[in-house]
Amino acid sequence: MRWRRRARKPTPVNPILIITDAYHFAAAKHVGQRRKGVAEEPYVNHLTEVAELVARATAGADIDAIVAAVLHDTVEDTDTSFAEIADRYGSRVAGLVAEVTDDKTLPKAERKRLQIEHAAHASPGAKVVKLADKTSNLRALAVSPPKGWPAARRAEYLAWAIDVVAGCRGTNPWLEGQFDAAVADVVATEGVLA
Ligand code: ZN
């Protein structure tokens, strides 16, 4: 019976529906959160920037990576679980988010050390999300540095971001160029040595 065979075919999912759903989901999860910078930008601004960088870096070809970029801070900073992401967006998206999520049960210094260590072993998709995340954070550091961060802390963050990204290099030359431009902007603004 032909109609039955047709009915068993998986329904192709329109990527626009998935991406807009992810934005709506992330905006609801991060509602009320703001960036640490003096401008106190809504947190969702960071998510849109990271996702836009990933989309451009991959020429829109890797929908899972774009969705993971939108969701990359949901588990770390909201009540979202990996199971919730896997149910809604699939196991690859959940895996990519897991790769860029810190274990918050560990002390901060250990989490920062592990980011440097893990970056080199991350999947190509996770490396792209990580590169975009650090690019967005350094752009923010140049134009809207976190309130109460003295110059030494800003310099320390810059050096750490460079170390994390060192493990992601060789993944996406365009995005690595965006990161390098952001580093140059911070150095120009701060006068600190990279
Ligand atoms: Zn982030």
Side-chain angles (χ1 to χ4, degrees), residues 1-49:
M1 300 227 291
R2 270 179 80 116
W3 64 272
R4 278 202 176 162
R5 253 199 317 275
R6 267 208 297 272
R8 278 201 298 272
K9 276 185 189 166
T11 313
V13 185
N14 182 327
I16 293 171
L17 298 182
I18 302 170
I19 291 171
T20 51
D21 184 272
Y23 272 119
H24 186 55
F25 178 86
K29 288 288 191 179
H30 289 278
V31 69
Q33 293 180 3
R34 291 186 172 269
R35 299 219 78 192
K36 292 186 190 125
V38 288
E40 296 186 347
E41 302 92 339
Y43 203 81
V44 72
N45 284 34
H46 170 61
L47 308 176
T48 61
E49 184 176 28

Side-chain angles (χ1 to χ4, degrees), residues 102-171:
D102 283 356
D103 179 353
K104 278 200 157 175
T105 63
L106 298 172
K108 193 163 184 194
E110 178 68 357
R111 297 202 312 254
K112 297 201 101 175
R113 191 189 66 75
L114 284 173
Q115 275 209 35
I116 297 170
E117 198 178 296
H118 289 165
H121 309 290
S123 67
K127 283 182 180 178
V128 168
V129 175
K130 201 168 262 293
L131 271 162
D133 187 32
K134 293 293 178 277
T135 301
S136 169
N137 288 344
L138 286 193
R139 285 177 177 177
L141 193 63
V143 299
S144 177
K147 285 172 284 183
W149 277 28
R153 185 156 181 203
R154 298 195 298 269
E156 191 188 319
Y157 184 90
L158 175 66
W160 172 74
I162 289 169
D163 285 348
V164 174
V165 162
C168 301
R169 289 197 186 270
T171 307

